[in-house]
Amino acid sequence: MSRPDWEVVIGLEIHAQLNTASKIFSGATTAFGAEANAQASAVDIALPGVLPVLNKGAVERAIRFGLAIGAQVAQKSVFARKNYFYPDLPKGYQISQFELPVVVGGQITVRVGEGDTAYDKTITLTRAHLEEDAGKSLHEDFHGMSGIDLNRAGTPLLEIVSEPDMRSSAEAVAYARALHTLVRWIDICDGNMQEGSFRCDANVSVRRPGAELGTRREIKNLNSFRFLQQAIDYEIQWQIERIEDGGRVEQATVLFDPDSGETRMMRSKEDAHDYRYFPDPDLLPVVISDEWIARTRAALPELPEAMRARFEADWGLSAYDAITLTSSRDAATYFEAAVAAAGDTLAKPCANWIMGELAARLNKAERDITDSPVSPAQLAALVGRIADGTISNNAGKKVFDALWNEAGSAVDAIIEAQGLKQMNDSGALEAIVDEVLAANAKSVEEFRAGKEKALNALVGQVMKASRGKANPTQVNEVLRSKLGG
């Protein structure tokens, strides 16, 4: 939404669950779906006599993220205790990072919108810090009571905090999607929003253009991009209406109700001093060497932004195509494999088939591209046979059907078995055209009188007479030649 008399200011805090096998300070498993409280170790709930031990894999993943966004990876960072009471926080504090986080700064450029109105927006990041997750309160099936599941307690998180650089829900969603792609791309988080592996908190405020920042309200635990957009849009409207009606916005934490499409206040928002941060006495500072950073940098894959630029430069793809094909590392890998098999000149047709027919089938079947029945090599062969005129695009869809439903099928064998080859015998085609012209004198007269649409009717008749095997381009050429057009 956009109103020229108001400016929206948005910053996001995103919690990415790191895909380590064990928790950040204990050896307990992070596997999802276990029976309630089956994975809450003595360390996770801070029973007397236990000591936390930092998971090196969590630090490695934080370094990887920092390098991917061009941030400063701190060679010394410190864990602190963040003190607050909540029923699913058994210690009464959370181990997090405050004054000295592991990642400082960085930025990410996102594409906002589509078509002619699309634009690039660079979002600056404030920090990314390591912390442990809390447990989970369960309110269903307890008849007036709440249950507490501590399986998540101690799960490693990377909290990614942006500057308040976003000015619309569209920018916020584009940024969240880009981060979602990135954390999966560099293999630090599985990105499963339904399981809580990637959660967004949105800080939203409004102000008159040029005025000081307004009072923000934080929308907690948004676990879908659609809810993120809906929640921000509602909150913007609520704050504007409240101020215009003579009220004031108070700093608060709110929740979004997807059923009503509204936010509701959860509690007044705490500031940093309310948490009484102090360095955790049981954990030494984290020291990261230059050699560790260099080794991690060398192991990074080509990043989405660089790959998108290469796709555009090397294969002439549009920005939209390049962004779509790099929406996941698996999709990009599939595309590159298809182009390697088909040849660089067929990159665009490969892209079209992947974003069109293949994507539609995968979505309908709820399958990932890594589980596609049609391999990159098969898709390349199909694209090649359309490009060299062996089959038409419509026949290509029939071949694709067979490839999808019959594992291991060969493109040429399907074309032969189903009799899908286009007619390439110019003599036979001319004979059909002559018959069609003789039988459709009215359409011939209309075309010669300047009615271009009459040609389409003649093309249709030739295609029908050839049982769809004539090459439409050749049909057009032969008709125009014979009609003097």
Side-chain angles (χ1 to χ4, degrees):
M1 60 182 301
S2 176
R3 283 187 49 176
D5 52 337
W6 288 97
E7 184 178 44
V8 178
V9 180
I10 303 167
L12 294 189
E13 298 171 11
I14 291 177
H15 294 81
Q17 178 179 321
L18 301 176
N19 57 1
T20 55
S22 57
K23 295 184 179 180
I24 190 167
F25 300 119
S26 80
T29 177
T30 57
F32 180 81
E35 183 180 352
N37 297 306
Q39 295 170 189
S41 78
V43 174
D44 303 328
I45 59 177
L47 292 181
V50 301
L51 287 173
V53 177
L54 179 59
N55 185 330
K56 183 178 180 181
V59 180
E60 172 78 29
R61 286 160 174 76
I63 297 172
R64 208 180 301 168
F65 177 79
L67 295 175
I69 62 168
Q72 176 189 349
V73 176
Q75 293 191 300
K76 180 182 177 181
S77 60
V78 173
F79 282 99
R81 290 187 180 181
K82 180 181 181 181
N83 296 273
Y84 64 97
F85 171 77
Y86 210 68
D88 56 20
L89 190 70
K91 302 175 183 178
Y93 64 86
Q94 176 190 32
I95 301 177
S96 183
Q97 292 184 316
F98 180 52
E99 292 181 339
L100 297 173
V102 65
V103 172
V104 179
Q107 62 182 31
I108 187 167
T109 299
V110 302
R111 189 77 169 169
V112 185
E114 296 179 9
D116 295 339
T117 59
Y119 61 94
D120 289 334
K121 173 86 173 185
T122 297
I123 312 296
T124 301
L125 281 75
T126 309
R127 57 191 277 149
H129 60 263
L130 289 163
E131 64 182 20
E132 61 179 346
D133 204 351
K136 185 177 182 181
S137 297
L138 306 172
H139 307 294
E140 299 81 14
D141 303 324
F142 286 95
H143 307 291
M145 298 182 291
S146 291
I148 302 296
D149 180 5
L150 297 177
N151 281 344
R152 288 189 67 91
T155 297
L157 300 177
L158 187 67
E159 181 173 347
I160 304 162
V161 183
S162 81
E163 289 290 306
D165 287 348
M166 289 153 274
R167 296 293 177 264
S168 68
S169 61
E171 290 185 358
V173 170
Y175 167 74
R177 285 187 180 278
L179 274 187
H180 187 255
T181 294
L182 181 62
V183 296
R184 291 179 297 145
W185 193 284
I186 60 176
D187 194 25
I188 66 171
C189 171
D190 65 20
N192 192 318
M193 300 182 82
Q194 288 70 38
E195 294 180 2
S197 297
F198 190 89
R199 314 191 300 270
C200 304
D201 299 341
N203 288 286
V204 181
S205 66
V206 299
R207 65 180 177 184
R208 295 293 185 181
E212 293 184 0
L213 289 173
T215 301
R216 75 184 189 278
R217 303 216 310 171
E218 182 181 27
I219 313 168
K220 294 288 287 186
N221 294 330
L222 297 162
N223 65 352
S224 84
F225 300 120
R226 181 165 60 90
F227 292 164
L228 176 63
Q229 182 146 18
Q230 290 176 349
I232 290 174
D233 285 340
Y234 176 83
E235 185 64 26
I236 291 168
Q237 189 63 33
W238 183 89
Q239 291 188 26
I240 290 174
E241 289 179 356
R242 186 169 184 83
I243 295 170
E244 290 182 338
D245 289 343
R248 57 191 294 266
V249 175
E250 297 181 353
Q251 187 169 322
T253 298
V254 303
L255 296 176
F256 176 67
D257 183 349
D259 293 329
S260 67
E262 300 176 351
T263 59
R264 57 180 174 82
M265 184 166 165
M266 179 182 176
R267 59 177 181 265
S268 60
K269 175 64 178 174
E270 299 89 347
D271 287 309
H273 61 79
D274 295 318
Y275 292 121
R276 305 185 313 283
Y277 283 99
F278 65 88
D280 192 295
D282 295 332
L283 288 162
L284 293 170
V286 181
V287 177
I288 299 172
S289 67
D290 289 335
E291 188 275 333
W292 191 0
I293 294 174
R295 187 172 66 246
T296 304
R297 189 190 303 276
L300 278 176
E302 183 182 19
L303 298 174
E305 192 171 344
M307 187 175 284
R308 286 195 289 270
R310 179 166 59 83
F311 284 2
E312 292 179 46
D314 291 357
W315 293 322
L317 298 187
S318 68
Y320 174 82
D321 289 352
I323 289 170
T324 303
L325 292 166
T326 55
S327 61
S328 77
R329 194 170 166 185
D330 291 329
T333 298
Y334 187 103
F335 170 67
E336 288 198 289
V339 175
D344 289 354
T345 58
L346 296 180
K348 177 57 176 171
C350 285
N352 290 344
W353 275 87
I354 291 169
M355 295 185 298
E357 197 70 26
L358 180 62
R361 295 297 184 92
L362 290 172
N363 288 338
K364 185 176 181 180
E366 297 183 347
R367 299 173 78 154
D368 191 79
I369 198 165
T370 55
D371 190 34
S372 170
V374 182
S375 71
Q378 288 175 312
L379 188 82
L382 169 58
V383 169
R385 286 294 173 256
I386 295 171
D388 67 16
T390 300
I391 58 174
S392 66
N393 203 62
N394 284 336
K397 293 180 180 179
K398 295 179 181 178
V399 175
F400 187 90
D401 281 338
L403 292 172
W404 183 272
N405 295 313
E406 302 167 20
S409 300
V411 168
D412 287 343
I414 295 169
I415 293 171
E416 197 64 41
Q418 295 192 18
L420 298 174
K421 277 188 179 180
Q422 289 193 125
M423 181 183 296
N424 290 314
D425 184 336
S426 58
L429 176 58
E430 288 200 18
I432 293 174
V433 169
D434 288 340
E435 290 177 7
V436 167
L437 293 176
N440 293 271
K442 184 179 179 182
S443 293
V444 171
E445 289 176 14
E446 288 177 349
F447 176 74
R448 285 178 170 156
K451 293 183 179 179
E452 189 70 22
K453 287 184 179 179
L455 186 69
N456 295 333
L458 294 170
V459 170
Q461 290 298 318
V462 175
M463 294 303 296
K464 182 179 179 181
S466 68
R467 297 183 181 179
K469 292 185 178 181
N471 184 320
T473 302
Q474 285 183 307
V475 171
N476 219 295
E477 291 173 355
V478 173
L479 279 169
R480 287 185 179 277
S481 173
K482 288 184 174 290
L483 292 170

